[in-house]
Amino acid sequence: MIKYLILLLAVMVPNVAMAQDAAPVIDSGNTAWLLVSTALVMLMTPGLAFFYAGMVKRKNVVATLFQNYAALAVAGIVWAICGYSLVFSGDGPFIGGLDNLFLKGIGQEPFGETGVPTIAFVAFQMMFAIITPALMSGAMAERLNFSAWLLILVLWSLAVYVPVAHWVWGPGGWIAGDGGLDFAGGLVVHATSGCSALMAAILLGKRTDAQEKLKPNDVSLIMLGAALLWFGWFGFNAGSAITSGGLAAHAFMTTFLAAAAAFASWVAVDWIRGGKPSAVGGAIGIIVGLVVITPAAGFVTTNSALIMGLIGGAFCNIVACIIKKMSHMMDDTLDVFACHGVGGILGAIMTGMFADSSVNDAVSVQGLLVSGETGLFYANVKGAVAVIIYSFVITAIIIKVVSVFTKLRVSSEVEQYGLDSAQHGETARHREGK
C-alpha cells in the first residue's frame, strides 16, 4: 500500500510543479496570423509608392517611388534602434523608456497573453512606423530635395510618430489613460502624417506650376497602388487584433465595407460635380474609407462602418476641393491632408460616436450615438486636438532644423527638368527610339 502511495505522489508532484511554473506559450495560429499581417502592412508602402507615382508628372515618377522605398529602410532602422523602446517600454504619460534600446531583451518569448513572439509584435509595429512618414511625401512631391527627405524621415519618426504612438498604444500613454480609443492608427498614423504633411507643404512652398491642374501620368498605376493598399490594409486593421479569431474577422469586414462605402460616396460627389464618374476618384475614395475606419475597425458594428465610409468619402472629397481652391496659399500636391489628416481625425471622432462594446468585449465604453455616454467621445476629441497641434508645431520645427543642414527643395531648373534625371539619373520610361 505504501509503495502505491509513493508512486502516486511521484506522478503528481511534478505535475503540480509544472502547473505552478506554467507560463504563456507561443500560439502557432496567432503567430502565423501576425506574421502574415506584418507582410501585408509591409506591402502597403510599395503600394503607396505606386499610388503616388501614378499621380505625379512622368518626370518625377522615380523620385516619388524612391522617397517611399527609402522610408522602408530609414524608418525601419530608426524603429529597431530606439523607436520601439520609446513607444512600448517604460510607463511615462508622454514618452517611453530605453529598456529595449537596439531591441535589447527582445526575443521569441510570448508578448503578454497573446501567444505571439515579442519579436513578431515588434516587426508588426515597425511596419506602421514605416508607412506613416511615407504618407507625408505626397504633400511635398515634385520639389523635395532627397537629402532633406532622409533627414525629415529620421527626425519626424523620433519627434512626432514615436511620442504620439506612446500616447495612444504605449504603457501609461496619456490618451489611452484618458479613455481614448484608436484601434489601428487613425490618430497615430493618419492624423499625424496628414497634419504634418500640410505644415511641411506650406513651409516648403508651392511648385512652380502649382496653379495648373495636376493630371495623373498613369491611371493604371494609381489603380494598382490602390489595390495593393486595400489588400494590405486587411493586415493593418484586422492584424491589429494581434490574435486570430473573431475580432480579427470583424475588423476585416468593417475595413472592407467602409472602403466600399467611401468609394461610392466619393465617386457620387465627383459625378454630381463634374458630370462623369472618375476612376482616380474611386481609388482615392477607397483610401479615404480605409483611413476613416482605421481607428474604429475593432470597435464598431458593420452597419456603423458603412455609415462612416459614406460620410468620410463625401466629406473628404469636399475638403479636398476646398483646399485645391486655396492653391495660391498652400500646395499639398497629392491631397495628403484632406485624405489622411481629415480622414483620420474624422474617423477618431466617429469612433467616439459609434463604438459599441458588444463588438469588443475588452472595451466597456460606448459611443455617444450608441449609449448617450460622452466619455469616449470627449476623450477622442481631446486626443485629436492634441495630436493636430503637436503635429503642426513639431513638424514646423523639424522643417526649420533640416533647412539649416541642407536645401529643402530643388532649384526651379531641376523642378522644370524633373527630379528623376536630375537627382537620381534615372527615368521611369525611356522615350521611344532611345
Side-chain angles (χ1 to χ4, degrees), residues 255-288:
T255 297
F256 178 85
L257 292 175
F263 169 93
S265 60
W266 186 291
V267 170
V269 172
D270 277 353
W271 206 338
I272 293 169
R273 188 178 60 246
K276 295 179 181 178
S278 166
V280 173
I284 296 172
I286 289 169
I287 305 306
V288 167

Side-chain angles (χ1 to χ4, degrees), residues 130-324:
I130 286 169
I131 196 171
T132 307
L135 292 169
M136 293 168 51
S137 65
M140 301 175 278
E142 303 197 315
R143 62 204 188 276
L144 180 63
N145 185 19
F146 187 70
S147 60
W149 173 237
L150 295 179
L151 288 175
I152 290 170
L153 275 173
V154 174
L155 296 176
W156 192 89
S157 295
L158 290 173
V160 179
Y161 180 82
V162 162
V164 175
H166 180 76
W167 298 352
V168 176
W169 295 330
W174 76 266
I175 289 180
D178 199 40
L181 293 178
D182 185 353
F183 189 75
L187 292 178
V188 177
V189 175
H190 300 290
T192 58
S193 62
C195 294
S196 297
L198 182 62
M199 176 56 71
I202 292 170
L203 294 178
L204 195 63
K206 299 179 293 182
R207 289 165 294 158
T208 56
D209 57 356
Q211 300 295 334
E212 297 177 17
K213 184 178 180 180
L214 180 64
K215 294 182 179 179
N217 80 85
D218 191 338
V219 174
S220 60
L221 199 59
I222 295 171
M223 303 303 284
L224 172 63
L228 290 174
L229 284 165
W230 199 351
F231 179 63
W233 224 293
F234 291 121
F236 199 90
N237 284 359
S240 291
I242 305 301
T243 59
S244 60
L247 184 60
H250 183 87
F252 191 107
M253 191 61 174
T254 55
T255 297
F256 178 85
L257 292 175
F263 169 93
S265 60
W266 186 291
V267 170
V269 172
D270 277 353
W271 206 338
I272 293 169
R273 188 178 60 246
K276 295 179 181 178
S278 166
V280 173
I284 296 172
I286 289 169
I287 305 306
V288 167
L290 294 167
V291 170
V292 168
I293 198 60
T294 289
F299 300 132
V300 302
T301 64
T302 52
N303 288 336
S304 294
L306 283 168
I307 295 170
M308 290 176 68
L310 287 170
I311 293 172
F315 186 79
C316 290
N317 189 320
I318 294 169
V319 172
C321 291
I322 293 172
I323 291 177
K324 281 186 175 69

Side-chain angles (χ1 to χ4, degrees), residues 51-75:
F51 186 73
Y52 281 173
M55 292 186 176
V56 299
K57 299 180 185 68
R58 186 169 296 180
K59 62 185 179 182
N60 297 317
V61 169
V62 172
T64 302
L65 289 168
F66 198 30
Q67 286 170 6
N68 284 270
Y69 275 76
L72 281 164
V74 176

